[in-house]
Amino acid sequence: MNFAAIQQRVNSAVAAKLMTDFGLLNGLEISGKFDNASASAFSGGLLGTNPVFTCLAADSASPVLTWYAYFFEAPIPGQPSWNESRNRILEINLERYKVREAKPDATGLIILELEKL
Amino acid sequence: MSKAIQIRDEVVRRLTTPPINGIGAGGINVDPDYAFEMRDLPIIAVYLGDGKNVSAYASGSFTDREVHLNVRCITRGDDPLAGADQILDEAYSRIMTNPSLSGLAVDIMDGATTRQKDVLESPVGITEINFLVSYQTGTATL
């Protein structure tokens, strides 16, 4: 068993156990971990939140990117690049969010930074 | 009360009544360091900066002074800086229409305009106009 296979197996097990927040990403059901921690801007002068959704990269329809692929390989034709995850709409907890940034961590997970609509 | 604070309060009064379009009567604040929350926005903060004595010589009867006065607008939205633009346009008009500030000031000039952007659950922006207010006080008063 190679490392990629081990990684995928571990990620699947973790997702099954811990990624228990369900939503709709562009109308398709997706599971992940939704966090809406408090955050601040302008050196603490403005308080708000920083909503993020962590899920398996494969589930978010973004390719799993290794650092090598990200920097050296051309996008695969027909496969959405991680940039195309932007502007997708996530509906979760009766709220709607726009994906502002999609940040793959190169281990099979992706963090979707959200903007509340 | 120092004349600088009276000047600040006069500006706050002008921006409060009648309410600026988009800003409620409670949306004018005098503490720029208050930790506003997203639900408070848009909001305007009016606060004083540094001041100084600019008299070239001791006149014996009055002292020429200057003070920086800042009007800051914090907004949210897809284009928060554009959102602040129309609010500050109205605020600027109210301040500069009578630059003597109802007799409190000799003159008022606008200086730098600064803009910042950041992101919380939605894009936010700060647009701030710095004014320089010239005024006079007695030799033994501020």
Side-chain angles (χ1 to χ4, degrees):
Chain A
M1 183 181 284
N2 60 23
F3 183 82
I6 295 173
Q7 184 181 82
Q8 185 178 20
R9 185 171 171 180
V10 169
N11 282 345
S12 294
V14 168
K17 275 290 187 183
L18 298 178
M19 292 184 180
T20 56
D21 296 324
F22 294 91
L24 295 173
L25 184 63
N26 267 25
L28 300 176
E29 191 170 279
I30 189 171
S31 64
K33 181 73 173 65
F34 178 75
D35 290 306
N36 199 19
S38 64
S40 67
F42 307 125
S43 303
L46 183 64
L47 302 178
T49 63
N50 182 29
V52 296
F53 187 79
T54 304
C55 58
L56 293 177
D59 286 350
S60 71
S62 295
V64 175
L65 293 175
T66 63
W67 67 268
Y68 182 86
Y70 178 73
F71 286 105
F72 298 110
E73 294 183 4
I76 301 173
Q79 189 170 10
S81 71
W82 67 272
N83 254 327
E84 292 181 13
S85 292
R86 287 180 176 175
N87 297 318
R88 292 175 190 243
I89 303 298
L90 176 70
E91 299 173 67
I92 191 167
N93 296 340
L94 302 179
E95 299 278 5
R96 298 179 75 245
Y97 300 88
K98 180 176 71 174
V99 177
R100 179 163 47 83
E101 290 286 351
K103 297 183 176 179
D105 72 349
T107 67
L109 300 179
I110 193 165
I111 297 172
L112 304 179
E113 292 191 353
L114 306 173
E115 180 179 315
K116 191 173 180 181
L117 294 175
Chain B
M1 181 183 295
S2 70
K3 185 168 276 189
I5 292 293
Q6 294 178 53
I7 287 170
R8 182 204 67 184
D9 290 347
E10 169 63 16
V11 170
V12 170
R13 186 193 65 77
R14 291 184 176 202
L15 301 183
T16 301
T17 307
I20 291 180
N21 189 22
I23 302 280
I28 309 296
N29 195 286
V30 295
D31 182 0
D33 296 321
Y34 177 78
F36 301 108
E37 297 183 5
M38 292 290 283
R39 58 184 175 183
D40 298 328
L41 305 183
I43 199 160
I44 290 179
V46 180
Y47 64 102
L48 295 174
D50 295 336
K52 65 178 179 179
N53 179 335
V54 294
S55 294
Y57 53 87
S59 67
S61 59
F62 60 84
T63 301
D64 290 305
R65 300 185 187 276
E66 287 178 347
V67 68
H68 288 274
L69 183 140
N70 302 291
V71 178
R72 172 186 292 180
C73 183
I74 309 175
T75 50
R76 61 182 295 180
D78 289 340
D79 190 350
L81 297 183
D85 190 67
Q86 54 190 4
I87 294 172
L88 283 176
D89 187 54
E90 184 173 350
Y92 182 89
S93 174
R94 292 189 185 195
I95 294 171
M96 298 302 285
T97 296
N98 182 352
S100 72
L101 298 178
S102 303
L104 289 171
V106 172
D107 198 5
I108 180 169
M109 293 187 297
D110 63 303
T113 299
T114 59
R115 295 180 174 88
Q116 301 176 64
K117 277 189 67 177
D118 207 329
V119 178
L120 291 169
E121 63 256 39
S122 66
V124 292
I126 284 181
T127 306
E128 187 168 302
I129 302 177
N130 176 269
F131 294 93
L132 184 63
V133 184
S134 301
Y135 62 102
Q136 290 181 337
T137 67
T139 56
T141 60
L142 288 176

